[in-house]
Amino acid sequence: MSVEKVKAYFKQFGIAERVLELSQSSATVEEAAHALHTDSCRIAKTLSFDVDGRTVLVVASGDVRIDNSKYKAEFGKKAAMILPAELAMRVGHEAGGVCPFALPENVEVYLDVSLKRFETVFPACGSSNSTIELTISELELYAKPRKWIDIGKLT
């Protein structure tokens, strides 16, 4: 299971026990916010894109949508989401559990500046009912992003 891969990844940092496996779904921003009794903006959603065959993950605040013009300026082309049927093969996680941890080496991770508004956020941990609360500096450390980007707009 993907959540077990994420726990194994976090074990090297001594934080595997912080992974929460919820009794209810956290597959969508709304479900995660409800399950965690928090605002949807604090859910760190991971969006999966195909950029000329490259697998790109962008982690953004739950209340942000991708701004097409900013995306194109950053990546040089129109946004193309990876199809749910391809996620497990390309990212190692299925829809609802995609996260920036325990990834194949060729997957590129970027963090959107929308996350910097918060002290802590809740990204998924490989399954549709798992999460972890991380500070922004912890998210940056464990997600190992290529860089911070600004491609979002508040909804």
Side-chain angles (χ1 to χ4, degrees):
M1 257 175 70
S2 199
V3 68
E4 296 306 322
K5 287 188 336 191
V6 173
K7 285 182 181 179
Y9 173 77
F10 282 144
K11 188 174 184 178
Q12 68 185 311
F13 303 109
I15 65 165
E17 72 285 346
R18 289 174 51 191
V19 173
L20 303 172
E21 290 189 74
L22 307 168
S23 61
Q24 55 193 313
S25 176
S26 59
T28 67
V29 169
E30 295 76 20
E31 288 174 340
H34 182 266
L36 294 165
H37 308 289
T38 192
D39 295 325
S40 61
C41 54
R42 290 190 55 222
I43 304 304
K45 64 183 176 184
T46 303
L47 304 168
S48 309
F49 299 97
D50 181 298
V51 180
D52 295 324
R54 297 175 9 236
T55 302
V56 171
L57 300 183
V58 176
V59 185
S61 174
D63 63 346
V64 164
R65 294 178 58 131
I66 298 302
D67 181 301
N68 290 326
S69 60
K70 288 181 178 182
Y71 181 96
K72 190 171 184 176
E74 181 65 44
F75 294 107
K77 64 179 301 177
K78 184 179 176 183
M81 299 287 292
I82 294 174
L83 298 174
E86 298 177 28
L87 281 173
M89 179 186 70
R90 291 182 65 171
V91 179
H93 306 300
E94 301 217 8
V98 175
C99 64
F101 316 114
L103 301 168
E105 286 187 27
N106 65 328
V107 176
E108 301 173 26
V109 175
Y110 297 87
L111 301 179
D112 187 77
V113 297
S114 61
L115 297 165
K116 290 186 174 186
R117 299 176 287 160
F118 308 103
E119 187 174 321
T120 64
V121 293
F122 295 91
C125 284
S127 71
S128 62
N129 69 326
S130 63
T131 188
I132 188 169
E133 184 174 14
L134 297 173
T135 65
I136 299 305
S137 59
E138 286 175 324
L139 177 64
E140 186 173 19
L141 175 67
Y142 304 134
K144 300 178 183 171
R146 293 196 172 214
K147 66 178 183 176
W148 285 91
I149 60 176
D150 181 5
I151 63 167
K153 63 180 173 185
L154 291 175
T155 55

